[in-house]
Amino acid sequence: MQKINSPQQRSQKRPRLLALFAVTLATVLLLFILPALTQQPVVLTMLMQGQDIVNWRPFVKEFEQKNPKIRINLIEGPFDTNLIENLYTSAFLLGESPYDIINMDIVWVPKFAAAGWVRDLTDRIPPKQLSKFIQGNVEGGRYRGKLYRIPHASDAGMLYYRKDILEQAKIPAPKTFEEMVKISQNLQKQGKVTWGYLWQGKQYEGVSAMFVEVLSGFGGFWANPQTFEVGLDKPEAIKAVEFLKNTIASGISPPGVTTYGEEETRLLFQNGKALFLRNWPYVWKLANAEGSNVRGKIAIEPMLSSTGKTGGSCLGGWGWGIAKTSKHPEQAWKAIQYLTSEETQRKFIIQTGLIPSYKSLFTNKEIVAKYPHYPQLLKVVERPALRPPLAQYAQASDILQRYLSSAFTGRMSAEQAMKAAANETRNLLGSLKQPQAS
Ligand code: GLC
């Protein structure tokens, strides 16, 4: 039999219904509406060298304005590439890396990919877009056929020289190491400059990058990533080391080069103390900035080679990948896509004078109007001297750095040092069980 509620019972139930309604409303508010209203933006963390942060900050801001739900936290790292690599390596080894976007030097990719620290980006970028980049920059982002890094700037070693001094002396810019030595000695003798040639001889990654150019300039090679053949003890390699040692012995280069990295050599050159400098494109803007003693007095040439040889500039460069441990891979990809777009890069290059990774930008009207030498640079980056893309690159480079340093500081002869470097490299590569990066 159906029970009929009395009016008294009904009025007792109303407050209960109201309470239920209030609780449901509060739950909906708490669970769905409030979080949506107060949702914090996703924060992506990215570690970069200081000068990169200065250059990239305006573009990161621009991205954040267009994507208010994403913030990018830029952490400033040290200048030397190996020191940054160490920071990343320890973070990854500890497990939970705090970094979402990984700013990778071209030489780290095989190691980071082989260790499983970065995500495969192959299917994220259409081949058509990829074909717009300089091939070496894309290849430098691959490991065993998969893509792990999208290039945001190319880099190539080049020769800076004092245009004003050479013009005054009516001497054309040198094309070979031998010419450069002669010009240096001549103008040093006349008291026009203190030093002839500045290069990076400190025991760090920069010395390997610098050496690969001199090595190829003498017709030598370091190691073949496919066959694992090692060329460090071949006569060409020994000659390359002897050439560098001689620049110190003959007073063309200051003895301090054995402890100088990019920045020490840039500052010395910028102070007006030297005729020639081997360095990367980042120097251009700084050396031409207000307060620089060489502002408007410098020019660049592709890296030199020995007479009759071709040589090449070391291909450096940086690009972005996504950490395997990142909890925000989609947002990270969105940021990478924005920051590596052709349009962002066009604006970035105009502001910084760095080297594009898109081929078309080397001949872009606006860019060429500001940097008339860019079409020539395209040829330089398309015919580079490469550091061998090995998963064990860091160890191979470490061996080379140690022995180059021994040779430059006179602890070993060029021949002894290169024989020892070659043997250790052969041991390293001989112990590999699997083929390396393709
Ligand atoms: C530059 C290059 C990089 C290289 C480093 C060496 O940053 O882009 O590839 O490893 O210099 O110091």
Side-chain angles (χ1 to χ4, degrees):
M1 202 170 71
Q2 205 179 359
K3 221 173 161 191
I4 296 170
N5 290 339
S6 67
Q8 196 188 4
Q9 275 173 319
R10 275 206 298 270
S11 68
Q12 270 173 359
K13 250 191 170 173
R14 214 170 287 136
R16 253 189 270 149
L17 268 175
L18 271 176
L20 190 68
F21 177 71
V23 168
T24 317
L25 189 70
T27 317
V28 169
L29 260 173
L30 264 173
L31 284 180
F32 302 104
I33 300 180
L34 269 180
L37 288 177
T38 55
Q39 202 176 38
Q40 294 296 320
V42 163
V43 179
L44 301 171
T45 303
M46 163 147 87
L47 170 72
M48 296 224 255
Q49 289 167 303
Q51 94 266 14
D52 273 342
I53 293 201
V54 173
N55 289 333
W56 277 107
R57 200 183 295 283
F59 299 96
V60 164
K61 285 237 167 79
E62 206 176 85
F63 170 77
E64 288 175 336
Q65 269 156 15
K66 293 190 175 156
N67 297 273
K69 291 198 182 128
I70 308 177
R71 288 274 156 276
I72 301 183
N73 178 20
L74 296 171
I75 312 247
E76 183 170 341
F79 184 91
D80 284 1
T81 175
N82 344 28
L83 299 181
I84 303 212
E85 185 185 3
N86 291 347
L87 288 179
Y88 275 128
T89 302
S90 13
F92 286 129
L93 289 176
L94 286 173
E96 285 290 298
S97 149
Y99 311 115
D100 298 280
I101 300 181
I102 310 299
N103 190 35
M104 276 185 275
D105 188 344
I106 194 163
V107 284
W108 307 345
V109 178
K111 170 177 160 182
F112 282 27
W117 294 337
V118 281
R119 290 174 191 248
D120 177 5
L121 304 177
T122 319
D123 296 332
R124 291 200 182 249
I125 182 159
K128 202 169 161 221
Q129 193 193 341
L130 218 49
S131 68
K132 294 182 175 173
F133 289 106
I134 291 159
Q135 207 196 345
N137 283 160
V138 175
E139 293 314 316
R142 286 196 212 277
Y143 178 66
R144 298 206 175 152
K146 292 190 171 150
L147 187 73
Y148 294 89
R149 187 194 82 134
I150 313 293
H152 62 69
S154 196
D155 227 354
M158 47 190 63
L159 185 79
Y160 289 80
Y161 66 92
R162 289 288 299 278
K163 189 176 64 173
D164 58 331
I165 301 183
L166 289 194
E167 272 174 12
Q168 209 189 16
K170 300 201 168 51
I171 301 174
K175 298 279 180 234
T176 64
F177 289 129
E178 293 77 7
E179 283 170 13
M180 190 265 291
V181 163
K182 252 201 208 144
I183 300 173
S184 295
Q185 283 175 327
N186 187 358
L187 294 179
Q188 276 179 291
K189 243 188 248 152
Q190 293 178 34
K192 302 268 192 242
V193 274
T194 315
W195 301 110
Y197 184 40
L198 302 176
W199 47 277
Q200 297 81 42
K202 176 169 109 173
Q203 190 181 324
Y204 79 126
E205 180 55 30
V207 78
S208 296
M210 175 284 304
F211 183 67
V212 100
E213 293 165 353
V214 182
L215 185 61
S216 87
F218 278 90
F221 72 101
W222 180 348
N224 182 316
Q226 265 81 41
T227 62
F228 298 157
E229 192 194 348
V230 175
L232 293 179
D233 50 358
K234 301 253 184 294
E236 297 83 7
I238 297 170
K239 264 194 213 154
V241 179
E242 270 163 1
F243 160 74
L244 287 165
K245 271 173 81 90
N246 281 339
T247 64
I248 306 174
S250 59
I252 292 173
S253 305
V257 285
T258 58
T259 59
Y260 293 168
E262 283 93 356
E263 279 297 83
E264 290 81 4
T265 54
R266 171 180 74 83
L267 290 170
L268 207 54
F269 185 70
Q270 216 167 286
N271 283 340
K273 294 272 187 279
L275 196 53
F276 299 110
L277 161 76
R278 182 269 164 212
N279 214 319
W280 305 98
Y282 83 97
V283 168
W284 183 262
K285 184 180 165 192
L286 300 173
N288 279 309
E290 221 171 289
S292 158
N293 287 348
V294 300
R295 186 178 192 191
K297 298 178 179 167
I298 61 172
I300 54 174
E301 277 284 314
M303 248 340 265
L304 306 174
S305 60
S306 182
T307 317
K309 301 276 189 312
T310 337
S313 293
C314 174
L315 187 72
W318 296 75
W320 287 306
I322 305 177
K324 212 30 147 339
T325 48
S326 170
K327 295 196 173 66
H328 313 292
E330 295 314 316
Q331 288 88 345
W333 176 246
K334 204 166 187 187
I336 292 178
Q337 259 180 317
Y338 185 85
L339 296 171
T340 60
S341 74
E342 199 167 337
E343 179 50 15
T344 305
Q345 196 169 106
R346 188 186 60 79
K347 292 190 273 179
F348 178 80
I349 298 301
I350 288 177
Q351 284 195 19
T352 60
L354 292 176
I355 307 252
S357 54
Y358 281 97
K359 285 180 269 188
S360 64
L361 295 182
F362 286 83
T363 47
N364 173 282
K365 254 192 182 165
E366 210 184 332
I367 292 183
V368 176
K370 193 157 181 198
Y371 309 110
H373 57 283
Y374 273 36
Q376 188 200 0
L377 272 184
L378 180 59
K379 290 185 201 137
V380 173
V381 291
E382 283 188 326
R383 199 179 42 79
L386 292 181
R387 289 167 281 177
L390 303 157
Q392 284 70 13
Y393 176 77
Q395 286 113 294
S397 179
D398 184 65
I399 296 170
L400 181 62
Q401 292 163 31
R402 272 190 285 117
Y403 287 107
L404 284 179
S405 180
S406 298
F408 297 155
T409 52
R411 281 175 282 145
M412 283 176 133
S413 72
E415 191 174 342
Q416 281 167 341
M418 295 320 275
K419 285 202 160 140
N423 285 340
E424 266 190 47
T425 311
R426 282 192 190 106
N427 286 342
L428 170 76
L429 300 186
S431 66
L432 301 177
K433 290 179 189 67
Q434 296 193 349
Q436 294 306 291
S438 55

